[in-house]
Amino acid sequence: MPRIKIALPTNFLFSTVIPIRITDMNFGGHVGNDALLGIIHEARTQYLQHYGYGELDLEGLGVIMSDVGIEFKRELFYGDALEVWVVATEFSKVAFEIYYRLESTTGGKKTVVATAKTGMVCYDYSHKRIAAVPPTVIAKLSGKA
């Protein structure tokens, strides 16, 4: 089976710093894959909040993660701090992609430790159906508002 390769966009519009907690560690002594998914979720939440949104309030709609891909590149350890860069792209009628570039700094040198992509689908929870991505959401998240 071929390995996942994530082609990142060139322009990221938002970044946040997320420290590695002791609870992120696994039995191997490094950050577990499940914890990294949680870190990506936190970064996405902060990204949406930066634009005045939440996963249950995107101009009156919610979003559902339809898929996720993570490309692990380096280990992370307790005490590391990640700078997570986030951008939304590839908008369609009802969905869009969010890309993540996770970097750590050691000895003054930044290193990409993981890349990720989540597919997000707009969802109208009140009517229990998929809904169109609002144009204002596209404008804000793509940096055109």
Side-chain angles (χ1 to χ4, degrees):
M1 181 163 101
R3 294 194 54 199
I4 291 174
K5 298 290 183 194
I6 297 171
L8 294 177
T10 55
N11 296 322
F12 284 82
L13 302 175
F14 173 83
S15 74
T16 187
V17 175
I18 300 176
I20 299 301
R21 306 163 307 162
I22 195 67
T23 55
D24 296 328
M25 307 305 290
N26 67 14
F27 65 89
H30 55 245
V31 171
N33 56 16
D34 57 333
L36 198 62
L37 183 58
I39 289 166
I40 289 165
H41 181 71
E42 176 66 29
R44 181 178 60 254
T45 299
Q46 290 185 29
Y47 170 70
L48 292 173
Q49 286 178 346
H50 174 76
Y51 291 101
Y53 296 131
E55 291 195 350
L56 295 175
D57 184 17
L58 208 70
E59 301 290 338
L61 301 173
V63 288
I64 296 174
M65 185 170 61
S66 61
D67 59 55
V68 62
I70 302 173
E71 189 176 352
F72 302 97
K73 296 182 177 287
R74 293 218 186 284
E75 289 180 300
L76 290 166
F77 302 97
Y78 177 70
D80 287 344
L82 288 176
E83 184 170 15
V84 184
W85 292 88
V86 185
V87 67
T89 65
E90 302 173 35
F91 292 90
S92 71
K93 181 179 178 186
V94 298
F96 55 95
E97 307 294 331
I98 298 182
Y99 287 89
Y100 312 80
R101 186 178 72 226
L102 293 80
E103 300 176 343
S104 70
T105 303
T106 305
K109 182 181 176 195
K110 286 188 178 194
T111 302
V112 176
V113 296
T115 59
K117 177 204 79 74
T118 54
M120 307 304 293
V121 176
C122 281
Y123 191 76
D124 183 337
Y125 279 92
S126 64
H127 294 99
K128 303 289 187 208
R129 65 178 181 221
I130 293 173
V133 182
T136 52
V137 170
I138 297 170
K140 281 185 179 181
L141 297 185
S142 63
K144 296 176 182 166

